[in-house]
Amino acid sequence: MFRYILRRLLQMVLAFFGTTLIVYALTFAGQGDPIQALAGERPVTPAQRAYLTEKYNLDQTGVGGFFYRYFDYVKDLLQGNLGESLTGRSIGDILQQAWPVTVRLALIALAVAIIFGVSAGVIAGIRRASIFDNSTLVLTLLVLGIPTIVLAPLAQYFLGVKWQLFPPTAGSDPTFYALLLPGIVLGSLSLATALRLTRASVAENLRADYVRTARSKGLVKRRIVIVHVLRNSLIPVVTFLGVELGNLMSGAIITEGVFNIPGVGFNLFRGIRTEDGPLVVGIVSVLVVVYLVSNLVVDVLYAVLDPRIRYE
Amino acid sequence: MSDFETVAATENQAARRGPSGEPGTPNQVGAANKPRSLAGDAWRDLRRNPIFWISLALVVIFTLMALLPGVFTANNPNDCLLSRQHAGPSGGAIFGYDFQGCDTYSRAVYGTRASLLVGALAALGTGIIALVIGMLAGYFGRWVDAVLSRVIDVVLGIPLLLAAIVLLKRVSSDSQWARIGAVVFVLALLGWTTAARVVRSSVITAKEQDYVAAARMLGAGNSRIMWRHILPNSLAPVIVVLTIALGSFIAAEATLSFLGIGLKAPTISWGQDIDTGRIHMREAATPLIVPSAFLALTVLAFIMLGDAIRDAFDPKLR
């Protein structure tokens, strides 16, 4: 177990440096004159130029200089020092305010996926090729195929504006009710995937030898399903849901943007719209780290649940 | 996908063993009752699958729409008059006019071209990268495989939308083709990993086959074996994966255009029109609903087509 975690950690460190290097190289390097870019259209005095050059170590040129500045960026990132947005607010502050909202939204979405996705998946897996199974399969295909930029505005229009079942936008301090519709929209994709995964897993395990043994011992079907099949089938689903929580926390750009929820995705959405470079890079860097860490946690969790994973 | 390949491999072996197995026994399989191939079985399944036909019809319609938009609408999508802002249906504009006073339906029809073009080019790029990487990793194995598989892992760990945002912010050019090229490049650069894994696994299966050993014995070099023998035999599963990927690339392009960093103004794209329609949904809903429906149908058509073909080729589901 220890060796597995160690190896997985090393892999993550590699992936961390790989992705941050890419993000950094793409946003900062080779950008003409960064000082002029910072100042925009205004002229820069030689004194300001000298000050900024020293502050950001811009006098070191070539590959060495690039890595020097890259490690500066990583150091700042790890210390939580993300700089300021173009509007002068600290990006750390912005994120601190936005996280709780995003986490609440993600938890609602995950709850929707678990309650509806997993239970419907179990039923579909047990009654394979029934009407229920076939209709859920088509439905999930529809949900998986419809992009969020279609689903979110249409849900907002029909359920929020036309029939007025839900508040159409959330506002600055969203209530649970206001977050419910965006949560369902955000969770629908995970719901569909969780359903398909559960269904496949249950259907496969129902054909396993241990189920035949249990049946020949005379166990009732309910006990076979609940004790034997579910336990074994839910391992991949748990993994998926764990990864998905990480994704949901970072991937809510469109949903938060459309429903006006002041979370992390909304700030990224606004940063892109207002061409706020530092804000976009800051948020993307943090989200990449969140994504990597959540992947790591899930992999370790998976190894705890299923000992076979540890010995590759 | 691996199920499909292993079964295909065992079926190949069975077929080869069959006739020459034992010379004494009469050949069980007569000419009248020819053994059905996996592809034949799959085709029989597909023919009876309504989803396959519906999605195929949609793909054909949208492809025609992209090639010849003038056949589907007589109105010019760029003929906009502010005086008919949000006006109702009239004179060929069956879904009325949008915020700028352009024909909503005509814009949706003309938007097909950019979406399908981006999707197809990105899928092509993805296919090429995936074939090269997957072929190298699968064929050479050992350290080449180890290195390339780690590269795949790292790229797979990059969230697509976030990376695309960072990459596309670097593109300052507003020319139509530059933006299309940039979106295609970004999608292909980030989207090839799944397809590469599929290629890798089918190459690993294919290279163990006897015909590869035979070709090598006859003196064929690595490149000839890869190009002439392994490639044609490992292409089918990738094409299915790429069909599904094409759908998701179209969705990704629309999402990027929706955010305002994908395709821009002179190009007509559904993502942008959905964004404009969304802002003015309280005044008029059709400019939001029409491009949304076009986008959803196109993406669904490709995903369902790929899904149907994959299911037909997966004997586990029989």
Side-chain angles (χ1 to χ4, degrees):
Chain A
M1 190 67 202
F2 178 71
R3 275 188 58 191
Y4 173 81
I5 294 177
L6 199 69
R7 201 178 61 213
R8 202 53 199 73
L9 262 176
L10 284 177
Q11 258 182 28
M12 192 197 98
V13 169
L14 266 185
F16 172 77
F17 281 110
T19 40
T20 49
L21 189 69
I22 294 170
V23 171
Y24 177 77
L26 286 170
T27 41
F28 295 115
Q31 203 178 39
D33 185 354
I35 296 174
Q36 191 61 57
L38 196 66
E41 305 267 301
R42 281 171 295 158
V44 187
T45 64
Q48 281 172 323
R49 182 173 288 277
Y51 167 71
L52 287 170
T53 306
E54 204 188 312
K55 185 176 172 193
Y56 295 112
N57 298 305
L58 289 173
D59 46 348
Q60 271 140 331
T61 50
V63 181
F66 171 77
F67 277 102
Y68 197 93
R69 289 189 291 276
Y70 165 66
F71 282 112
D72 256 12
Y73 156 80
V74 170
K75 206 172 73 190
D76 279 352
L77 181 61
L78 289 178
Q79 287 171 346
N81 178 10
L82 296 163
E84 288 179 350
S85 76
L86 284 186
T87 50
R89 276 186 73 194
S90 143
I91 295 175
D93 277 358
I94 295 180
L95 282 177
Q96 216 165 23
Q97 280 187 3
W99 270 126
V101 181
T102 297
V103 170
R104 269 166 66 197
L105 183 65
L107 288 177
I108 292 175
L110 200 66
V112 169
I114 293 174
I115 294 170
F116 296 103
V118 174
S119 46
V122 171
I123 297 172
I126 293 171
R127 298 192 192 154
R128 261 188 60 174
S130 65
I131 296 172
F132 181 80
D133 182 31
N134 285 331
S135 48
T136 47
L137 270 190
V138 173
L139 268 178
T140 50
L141 201 59
L142 281 176
V143 172
L144 287 175
I146 296 178
T148 316
I149 61 161
V150 171
L151 208 58
L154 287 187
Q156 187 185 29
Y157 175 69
F158 283 110
L159 300 174
V161 175
K162 201 167 182 194
W163 300 321
Q164 311 206 330
L165 297 173
F166 294 94
T169 53
S172 65
D173 191 20
T175 57
F176 173 77
Y177 183 45
L179 286 178
L180 196 58
L181 180 62
I184 293 172
V185 168
L186 185 63
S188 63
L189 210 69
S190 340
L191 189 156
T193 319
L195 196 154
R196 293 197 139 207
L197 209 60
T198 316
R199 172 187 173 272
S201 184
V202 166
E204 197 184 320
N205 277 315
L206 274 177
R207 283 189 288 190
D209 286 344
Y210 61 82
V211 172
R212 196 176 48 193
T213 313
R215 194 170 294 143
S216 56
K217 278 197 312 189
L219 286 186
V220 287
K221 195 169 181 199
R222 186 157 21 107
R223 192 175 161 78
I224 299 176
V225 169
I226 293 173
V227 176
H228 295 264
V229 175
L230 271 193
R231 256 187 173 177
N232 284 296
S233 313
L234 288 184
I235 294 174
V237 182
V238 169
T239 325
F240 164 75
L241 290 173
V243 177
E244 205 53 17
L245 184 63
N247 281 344
L248 289 176
M249 287 208 286
S250 58
I253 307 170
I254 305 288
T255 315
E256 288 187 0
V258 167
F259 288 99
N260 224 8
I261 299 162
V264 178
F266 175 75
N267 279 296
L268 184 55
F269 187 81
R270 203 178 49 187
I272 296 168
R273 286 292 161 95
T274 54
E275 311 225 325
D276 193 333
L279 184 64
V280 172
V281 174
I283 294 180
V284 169
S285 309
V286 173
L287 291 183
V288 165
V289 176
V290 169
Y291 185 87
L292 288 174
V293 171
S294 68
N295 272 346
L296 173 81
V297 171
V298 167
D299 276 3
V300 172
L301 198 73
Y302 200 1
V304 172
L305 283 174
D306 188 349
R308 284 170 297 185
I309 303 294
R310 288 173 226 163
Y311 313 103
E312 286 178 28
Chain B
M1 286 324 293
S2 59
D3 307 320
F4 160 52
E5 283 125 30
T6 44
V7 170
T10 47
E11 282 198 352
N12 277 343
Q13 277 164 6
R16 258 183 282 109
R17 227 180 296 119
S20 60
E22 284 166 52
T25 52
N27 202 342
Q28 296 271 323
V29 190
N33 149 28
K34 224 168 65 176
R36 293 207 307 262
S37 67
L38 182 69
D41 267 1
W43 171 236
R44 270 166 44 92
D45 265 20
L46 276 181
R47 247 185 344 204
R48 283 178 295 156
N49 186 350
I51 291 181
F52 171 73
W53 288 113
I54 295 170
S55 50
L56 191 67
L58 282 173
V59 166
V60 170
I61 290 173
F62 281 115
T63 314
L64 283 177
M65 212 178 259
L67 293 173
L68 308 160
V71 174
F72 291 85
T73 172
N75 288 6
N76 180 352
N78 292 318
D79 174 23
C80 308
L81 277 176
L82 268 180
S83 59
R84 19 171 227 233
Q85 183 186 84
H86 291 152
S90 69
I94 51 173
F95 291 114
Y97 296 90
D98 67 5
F99 181 68
Q100 299 286 347
C102 318
D103 176 355
T104 304
Y105 171 68
S106 164
R107 278 188 75 84
V109 168
Y110 276 85
T112 319
R113 182 175 287 175
S115 281
L116 248 58
L117 189 68
V118 168
L121 288 178
L124 189 72
T126 300
I128 293 170
I129 302 175
L131 276 177
V132 170
I133 304 254
M135 179 69 87
L136 291 177
Y139 187 78
F140 290 109
R142 295 166 194 264
W143 66 268
V144 181
D145 186 23
V147 170
L148 289 177
S149 292
R150 289 294 86 70
V151 172
I152 292 177
D153 283 350
V154 169
V155 177
L156 205 63
I158 303 175
L160 187 128
L161 195 55
L162 295 180
I165 289 168
V166 173
L167 281 160
L168 283 171
K169 278 197 75 67
R170 288 304 305 267
V171 184
S172 47
S173 164
D174 270 347
S175 103
Q176 209 167 345
W177 289 105
R179 294 219 71 93
I180 289 182
V183 174
V184 168
F185 174 77
V186 166
L187 292 179
L189 194 70
L190 298 166
W192 54 272
T193 44
T194 327
R197 283 189 168 174
V198 170
V199 176
R200 176 179 168 274
S201 70
S202 49
V203 167
I204 288 176
T205 325
K207 77 169 178 182
E208 300 299 332
Q209 302 290 329
D210 285 350
Y211 58 78
V212 173
R216 183 168 292 129
M217 215 146 62
L218 288 169
N222 280 341
S223 56
R224 190 184 167 82
I225 291 176
M226 281 196 271
W227 183 248
R228 296 296 297 273
H229 299 278
I230 292 183
L231 183 68
N233 284 296
S234 45
L235 219 50
V238 200
I239 290 173
V240 174
V241 170
L242 287 181
T243 312
I244 298 178
L246 209 163
S248 45
F249 284 146
I250 291 175
E253 177 272 310
T255 306
L256 292 170
S257 304
F258 176 91
L259 287 170
I261 48 175
L263 307 181
K264 282 189 181 169
T267 318
I268 300 171
S269 83
W270 294 329
Q272 283 178 67
D273 282 4
I274 291 173
D275 184 41
T276 340
R278 175 181 78 84
I279 295 167
H280 305 288
M281 68 163 87
R282 281 171 197 272
E283 296 103 74
T286 37
L288 164 70
I289 295 172
V290 174
S292 298
F294 271 67
L295 173 63
L297 280 178
T298 314
V299 175
L300 271 174
F302 280 102
I303 290 184
M304 283 164 112
L305 183 66
D307 199 67
I309 297 176
R310 186 174 56 185
D311 280 358
F313 272 95
D314 188 352
K316 241 188 164 176
L317 292 171
R318 290 249 165 84

